[in-house]
Amino acid sequence: MRQAIFLPFFLGALACLSALWVKAEDPYRYYTWTVTYGTIYPLGVPYKGILINGQFPGPTIECVTNDNIIVDVINNLDEPFLITWNGIKQRKTSWQDGVLGTNCPIPPKSNWTYKFQTKDQIGTFTYFPSTKLHRAAGGFGGFNIAQRSVISIPYPVPDGEFTLLVGDWYKSNHKVLRQKLDLGIALALPDGLLINGISNGSVFTGEQGKTYKFRLSNVGIETSINFRIQGHVMKLVEVEGAHTIQDTYDSLDIHVGQSVAVLVTLNGPMKDYFIVASTRFTKPILTTTAFLRYAGSNTQASGTLPIGPTYHIHWSMKQARTIRLNLTANAARPNPQGSFHYGTIKVVRTIVLANSETKINKTLRYAVNGISYVDPTTPLKLADWFNIPGVFGLNTIKDRPSNGSPTFGASVIGTTLHDFVEIVFQNNENTIQSWHFDGYSFYIVGYGSASWTADMRRRYNLVDGIPRHTVQVYPKSWSAVLVSLDNKGMWNLRSAIWSRRYLGQQLYVRVWNDEQSLFTENDIPLNALRCGKAKHLKSFG
């Protein structure tokens, strides 16, 4: 009798637990994106651009921390195509990163479905094509991750949001630009700037007295951009997924690949105000404008364009007060367990990466530590997973710049899961650089001129540096970061300046350990495309 009573009770409890499990699963968001060519007019002349669902820029993804994102990409171009998710960490899912080191490209007239989770992330991010020079033709968009409702943010909830994708643009077709690079001809200064795909005239409307969040991203391929709003100050609240001390600025520099979020209160007289973006470190300076419109205003913006003080967002000790992580708030997790004291962790390896402009076989190339990267026909991730020989080696690139002649190679730095690493980006050239690391955020701890030496560590900010995924390196200067390699996979470390990446200024970091466990990395997806030496493999098991 006791057994007869226990069985229904057990089954009922199991059913309740199952219902709770299903209810507790993080939400899924499904997207179908058709990628096509289409005629657009960003600078007033017809251009064969890359559209997503007929849109330029592409649709903005709006989601919440831990949402599962399913994007079916239908490639109707005449070339293979991939999308990468700039700043999305792809926890345990480097298979979904969308670069040629991890994925076979989607062939023309076919589709492939990305499946990943916005695990423990909030903030302002973007997506864009990673193949060839497609990024110069469009295919980019915003990717915004809001905090979960159970987690507060360290500022009043704004009355609304605007996503601004600011970037440079060429009148020449992306295939023409690619042909120039293939011939060893460096790209000239872009022809103009765009805000949300328009050279001039975008309008952002709000109500007087209210406060709005502006999510700003530099989606260009070549130039740093200064951003300001006439008659208004901007309160910086987030940089690439990290909340910051909320200082106010008249203008901000946003380098290629970077994103920030600012709060703007509409506290001026009722009229239109100029929103201004202009290039930095260029001659001549390119400028474009949009309008911040007070609802109900009939007065157009007037006067000279606002030119305020320019603030360079970098992380020397001198500026640690200005831009630093708010240690009392964590936007992604409830009940934070305190700060991540990165300055107390022992560094197990120092890697110094020097970019260079060079020539190989009398043709322009860009290199890192003397190696100009060339994508193998087999993605590095597939070769690593299946132990396919002859695709890459871990001794191709060294931890320090070399004095030898530059060569081609598939550069992969081998590291161990949970290593704590110091990376120094050394820029010996006269142009500004911008570096991005897929799969990670790093702490920017140092910045300085000339050449980095070990003595520079005395100047590091080891207390409250801000984590982000992209860092600028000024001409004839260096920037230093610390990163905890806690995300297993094959990760692209690249120049965000696309002509440089296209001609070899990139490499991969293999974060590895000798156990195969779902706790550290997901298995290869069942729908993974096969190409190169992996093309005829019959089983992924």
Side-chain angles (χ1 to χ4, degrees):
M1 182 69 178
R2 182 179 300 172
Q3 184 178 14
I5 294 173
F6 174 77
L7 183 59
F9 174 81
F10 174 77
L11 293 175
L14 184 62
C16 290
L17 287 173
S18 298
L20 288 173
W21 176 265
V22 171
K23 186 176 180 180
E25 187 176 11
D26 294 305
Y28 282 75
R29 297 179 185 266
Y30 295 89
Y31 305 87
T32 299
W33 286 357
T34 301
V35 181
T36 61
Y37 289 120
T39 302
I40 54 178
Y41 298 83
L43 295 177
V45 297
Y47 185 96
K48 186 179 180 181
I50 293 178
L51 314 181
I52 297 179
N53 292 351
Q55 300 179 39
F56 171 76
T60 300
I61 289 181
E62 300 281 359
C63 64
V64 176
T65 300
N66 291 352
D67 280 358
N68 294 283
I69 307 298
I70 314 296
V71 186
D72 185 24
V73 176
I74 302 168
N75 178 17
N76 282 340
L77 304 183
D78 57 355
E79 298 179 311
F81 183 79
L82 281 173
I83 288 176
T84 191
W85 316 93
N86 199 52
I88 305 302
K89 291 183 179 178
Q90 300 293 352
R91 300 294 300 182
K92 303 193 300 182
T93 56
S94 66
W95 304 104
Q96 310 293 330
D97 199 28
V99 290
L100 289 175
T102 58
N103 295 81
C104 298
I106 306 168
K109 310 306 177 184
S110 67
N111 71 298
W112 192 70
T113 302
Y114 292 86
K115 301 176 182 179
F116 58 91
Q117 188 178 24
T118 56
K119 181 66 175 173
D120 292 336
Q121 286 191 263
I122 60 97
T124 304
F125 308 98
T126 58
Y127 63 85
F128 53 77
S130 67
T131 39
K132 298 184 180 293
L133 216 62
H134 292 142
R135 184 177 176 182
F140 54 78
F143 196 129
N144 302 328
I145 308 177
Q147 80 284 353
R148 287 181 286 167
S149 59
V150 297
I151 303 172
S152 61
I153 53 178
Y155 51 85
V157 176
D159 296 295
E161 289 189 5
F162 301 112
T163 297
L164 278 71
L165 305 176
V166 186
D168 49 36
W169 194 259
Y170 289 87
K171 291 180 180 178
S172 297
N173 182 274
H174 71 285
K175 292 184 179 181
V176 173
L177 298 177
R178 191 170 77 210
Q179 184 181 34
K180 288 183 178 180
L181 292 175
D182 290 340
L183 293 173
I185 303 172
L187 296 187
L189 183 70
D191 295 301
L193 296 182
L194 308 179
I195 298 177
N196 288 0
I198 299 174
S199 60
N200 284 289
S202 293
V203 177
F204 302 90
T205 302
E207 296 183 27
Q208 189 177 39
K210 293 189 175 181
T211 298
Y212 295 86
K213 180 190 288 185
F214 284 71
R215 297 182 181 270
L216 314 173
S217 296
N218 186 337
V219 294
I221 65 171
E222 289 290 318
T223 53
S224 300
I225 290 172
N226 180 258
F227 183 88
R228 61 256 192 212
I229 302 176
Q230 181 185 24
H232 294 75
V233 295
M234 299 174 288
K235 181 182 290 186
L236 186 68
V237 294
E238 178 240 323
V239 175
E240 294 171 3
H243 287 149
T244 67
I245 288 293
Q246 296 169 22
D247 286 337
T248 57
Y249 303 89
D250 295 306
S251 68
L252 288 171
D253 278 353
I254 308 173
H255 302 279
V256 181
Q258 295 182 351
S259 298
V260 303
V262 298
L263 297 182
V264 178
T265 299
L266 277 58
N267 53 10
M270 290 281 290
K271 66 175 185 177
D272 290 357
Y273 295 85
F274 284 117
I275 295 174
V276 185
S278 57
T279 56
R280 293 278 290 149
F281 316 107
T282 66
K283 293 182 180 179
I285 296 173
L286 305 176
T287 298
T288 190
T289 60
F291 296 103
L292 172 59
R293 174 164 296 167
Y294 283 33
S297 170
N298 294 317
T299 306
Q300 294 184 347
S302 61
T304 58
L305 297 183
I307 301 177
T310 297
Y311 294 87
H312 310 287
I313 302 180
H314 56 73
W315 324 119
S316 65
M317 284 297 292
K318 182 179 179 181
Q319 290 193 323
R321 180 197 63 81
T322 305
I323 311 287
R324 66 180 186 262
L325 179 64
N326 186 335
L327 299 177
T328 63
N330 186 306
R333 293 174 178 268
N335 305 318
Q337 299 302 309
S339 305
F340 182 70
H341 300 291
Y342 66 90
T344 65
I345 303 173
K346 181 180 179 181
V347 172
V348 300
R349 186 173 179 182
T350 296
I351 300 169
V352 180
L353 301 175
N355 54 269
S356 60
E357 179 180 321
T358 186
K359 286 189 176 182
I360 302 178
N361 299 332
K362 299 182 179 180
T363 302
L364 174 68
R365 295 289 300 187
Y366 298 103
V368 185
N369 289 4
I371 306 298
S372 185
Y373 187 88
V374 178
D375 281 299
T377 57
T378 306
L380 305 173
K381 185 63 181 172
L382 285 179
D384 197 31
W385 184 264
F386 293 116
N387 296 314
I388 300 173
V391 176
F392 71 91
L394 297 179
N395 296 315
T396 303
I397 188 170
K398 305 302 180 184
D399 285 7
R400 294 292 194 280
S402 61
N403 294 320
S405 299
T407 60
F408 294 114
S411 311
V412 179
I413 293 177
T415 64
T416 301
L417 184 65
H418 300 303
D419 278 356
F420 192 72
V421 174
E422 175 186 39
I423 303 176
V424 179
F425 299 99
Q426 179 67 54
N427 179 17
N428 298 322
E429 300 182 64
N430 291 317
T431 58
I432 190 169
Q433 305 292 316
S434 185
W435 284 90
H436 169 84
F437 194 5
D438 278 354
Y440 286 94
S441 289
F442 41 62
Y443 288 89
I444 303 175
V445 295
Y447 168 90
S449 59
S451 295
W452 178 88
T453 66
D455 289 340
M456 302 298 182
R457 294 188 180 116
R458 292 179 297 179
R459 298 164 47 185
Y460 281 6
N461 174 13
L462 298 178
V463 179
D464 56 5
I466 190 169
R468 62 185 307 170
H469 54 70
T470 306
V471 58
Q472 72 275 14
V473 192
Y474 293 103
K476 301 291 185 179
S477 299
W478 55 268
S479 296
V481 307
L482 298 178
V483 57
S484 178
L485 299 178
D486 60 355
N487 193 11
K488 189 174 178 179
M490 186 73 72
W491 302 107
N492 193 209
L493 180 56
R494 61 176 178 260
S495 173
I497 300 172
W498 221 242
S499 61
R500 299 186 74 96
R501 179 188 187 262
Y502 179 80
L503 290 182
Q505 192 173 312
Q506 62 169 313
L507 60 128
Y508 282 80
V509 178
R510 177 187 186 244
V511 181
W512 183 84
N513 66 355
D514 59 1
E515 69 171 353
Q516 186 172 334
S517 168
L518 294 179
F519 288 104
T520 57
E521 184 179 32
N522 292 348
D523 287 339
I524 188 170
L526 295 177
N527 70 334
L529 299 174
R530 292 172 285 181
C531 55
K533 294 184 177 181
K535 185 173 183 179
H536 300 295
L537 292 177
K538 295 183 179 180
S539 173
F540 284 173

